[in-house]
Amino acid sequence: MYGLTVRWSLADAPAGVDDELREYVHGTSLDRFTGMPGLRFKTWRTRPGEWFEGTYVFATAQARDEFAADFAGKAAGSPGSKIIGSAPILQESFDVVAVAEGGAGFAAGPGPAPAG
């Protein structure tokens, strides 16, 4: 399997950006990537106020590399960049050594609501 990480800094992002990103992922982005050909899974990760990241795992290096090249050309104008107010600070390809499914099983869909 073949991975790609795209990360944005939230250090200078506007107030409320964490909630806006969560709403965008749950309301739009999740559906966009569900069932995407060549993609095994995508995970959205955040450290509120610090960074927001998309981590993709593809079935083939070709699928990953084609997606990465396409996204690199339009990353600054992507919905995430528009919400955050800046382009990604990192786009990095990697190899996935292994994935283990734990006893609780694999679950797709939105994560927990924000604490508070």
Side-chain angles (χ1 to χ4, degrees):
M1 291 179 282
Y2 303 88
L4 175 70
T5 294
V6 180
R7 180 178 283 192
W8 287 260
S9 172
L10 300 179
D12 298 319
V17 73
D18 297 302
D19 291 337
E20 192 172 348
L21 286 165
R22 186 179 300 274
E23 288 174 19
Y24 169 72
V25 169
H26 289 184
T28 302
S29 197
L30 187 61
D31 287 343
R32 177 176 171 229
F33 288 96
T34 298
M36 180 179 173
L39 183 68
R40 293 225 183 252
F41 63 89
K42 177 178 180 183
T43 303
W44 293 262
R45 303 181 336 131
T46 191
R47 287 190 53 95
E50 294 182 33
W51 52 260
F52 176 76
E53 177 179 284
T55 302
Y56 307 76
V57 175
F58 292 89
T60 66
Q62 179 180 351
R64 187 246 346 251
D65 295 346
E66 287 174 359
F67 180 87
D70 180 62
F71 189 74
K74 59 187 179 187
S78 70
S81 293
K82 289 178 181 176
I83 293 167
I84 294 164
S86 61
I89 59 169
L90 173 72
Q91 182 169 319
E92 180 177 62
S93 296
F94 58 91
D95 291 347
V96 175
V97 175
V99 174
E101 182 175 353
F106 184 82

